[in-house]
Amino acid sequence: SIQDDYEHPFAFYDDEMGRKHIRDRMMENEFEKAIRNEEFVVYLQPKYNVVTEEIAGAEALVRWRKKDGSMVSPGEFIPLYEKDGLIVRLDEYVFQKVCEIQKNHMETGGKLLPISVNLSRASIHYENMILRYVRIVEERGIPFSAVPIELTETAALYNVQIRELTEKMVHAGFELHMDDFGSGYSSMTSLNQLPFDTLKLDKSLIDYIENTRGMEVIRHTIALAHSLGMQVLAEGVETAGQVALLRELDCDEIQGFYYSRPVPWEEFVDRFMKKSDK
Ligand code: C2E
Ligand code: MG
Ligand code: MG
Ligand code: MG
């Protein structure tokens, strides 16, 4: 009751804060250990060219492989890490791993296959982010085009700060992909004002491609993106029927279980990045 709350107005608050503090510290400790033991592993999901049906690149998706062998999907830990800021370190860790994969690949003389990396909103707002990421790329001697950066539609919702940040990233050399477009408040201002070179159509749009209205939305979104000079990739493609329609609608690339699930990066390198594949 109100009366009870007023009796110990601060006791409850302190207790909550204390608990949150302990929870945060535990998570931080667990995170440090997981990083040290290399429990965060990079999976790669291939992207295919719609016309040639050849592999066009991949997306890096992190998984947590715990010591007991169990796998935790990013949907379970990334929202938590976004709240407490640890995501900034995880994103940089994944980015570094992917740059390392690309460096080794280049040294074996393989052709360039871009591997995009996801960055959370907190990561792009982190001070010195651009300098740190530029250094990671340059120290490995790989081109920026080897590691495009994906920002979700929500992280890229238009405002002046986002515009300045994304312009700085592009100026530094990065390629930007807008992730999950169509999943939320898809904003025309973001399309119009932000320097993205690829639009990733969210699975929730693709799910309705066989519906007349769903198809028209996709058709016109693809045409709009193209007229703005952007490439279009469809995410979450699961059936041959969807592939056929996307080809008809002039989509450029496809990513989804129809072609392949995300696979451990070592397997991806074996299957797609060996020199003999050229
Ligand atoms: P996302 O970037 O939109 O990645 C696509 C998600 O869709 C992946 O889930 C992928 O496994 C899944 N997917 C791909 N094709 C299909 C399909 O045909 N059908 C279905 N049902 N799903 C498909 P995943 O790997 O669980 O990742 C979930 C989200 O976690 C990602 O969404 C991304 O936002 C985030 N994430 C993953 N790795 C990182 C990371 O290193 N940093 C950050 N900040 N976020 C990450
Ligand atoms: Mg993504
Ligand atoms: Mg996505
Ligand atoms: Mg997503």
Side-chain angles (χ1 to χ4, degrees), residues 76-251:
E76 286 181 51
F77 54 89
I78 287 192
L80 298 176
Y81 291 166
E82 274 173 343
K83 269 193 216 133
D84 62 21
L86 290 171
I87 190 67
V88 173
R89 299 201 26 226
L90 184 62
D91 281 349
E92 192 172 311
Y93 178 84
V94 171
F95 185 74
Q96 225 171 91
K97 286 274 174 198
V98 170
C99 289
E100 213 53 51
I101 293 169
Q102 292 290 35
K103 173 183 175 247
N104 293 332
H105 174 58
M106 268 183 58
E107 283 171 359
T108 66
K111 70 164 190 255
L112 182 79
L113 219 44
I115 302 176
S116 59
V117 181
N118 292 283
L119 250 64
S120 75
R121 182 210 297 261
S123 290
I124 63 165
H125 285 283
Y126 186 63
E127 66 162 324
N128 289 334
M129 172 262 152
I130 296 179
L131 275 175
R132 293 171 71 97
Y133 278 61
V134 164
R135 193 172 303 145
I136 292 168
V137 171
E138 287 180 344
E139 278 174 2
R140 285 161 187 81
I142 61 172
F144 283 95
S145 55
V147 285
I149 285 177
E150 296 195 9
L151 297 177
T152 64
E153 180 189 82
T154 39
L157 212 54
Y158 179 79
N159 63 50
V160 173
Q161 200 190 4
I162 288 292
R163 196 190 68 211
E164 285 172 1
L165 273 171
T166 51
E167 278 172 357
K168 272 190 202 153
M169 287 167 80
V170 168
H171 187 74
F174 290 104
E175 258 180 43
L176 300 183
H177 296 187
M178 193 183 291
D179 202 358
D180 300 350
F181 188 79
S183 65
Y185 301 94
S186 310
S187 138
M188 293 300 145
T189 318
S190 308
L191 282 187
N192 169 20
Q193 298 282 334
L194 302 178
F196 283 79
D197 42 55
T198 297
L199 197 64
K200 298 191 75 176
L201 300 178
D202 193 64
K203 180 176 186 302
S204 59
L205 285 181
I206 305 306
D207 285 343
Y208 286 92
I209 194 170
E210 268 141 324
N211 161 310
T212 316
R213 296 171 70 109
M215 184 162 88
E216 289 311 313
V217 168
I218 293 171
R219 181 200 309 281
H220 291 281
T221 308
I222 291 173
L224 175 61
H226 281 165
S227 65
L228 294 171
M230 287 187 254
Q231 297 274 298
V232 181
L233 177 145
E235 289 192 286
V237 176
E238 296 182 340
T239 68
Q242 293 174 333
V243 174
L245 286 172
L246 285 161
R247 186 172 298 125
E248 205 179 297
L249 299 182
D250 212 15
C251 186

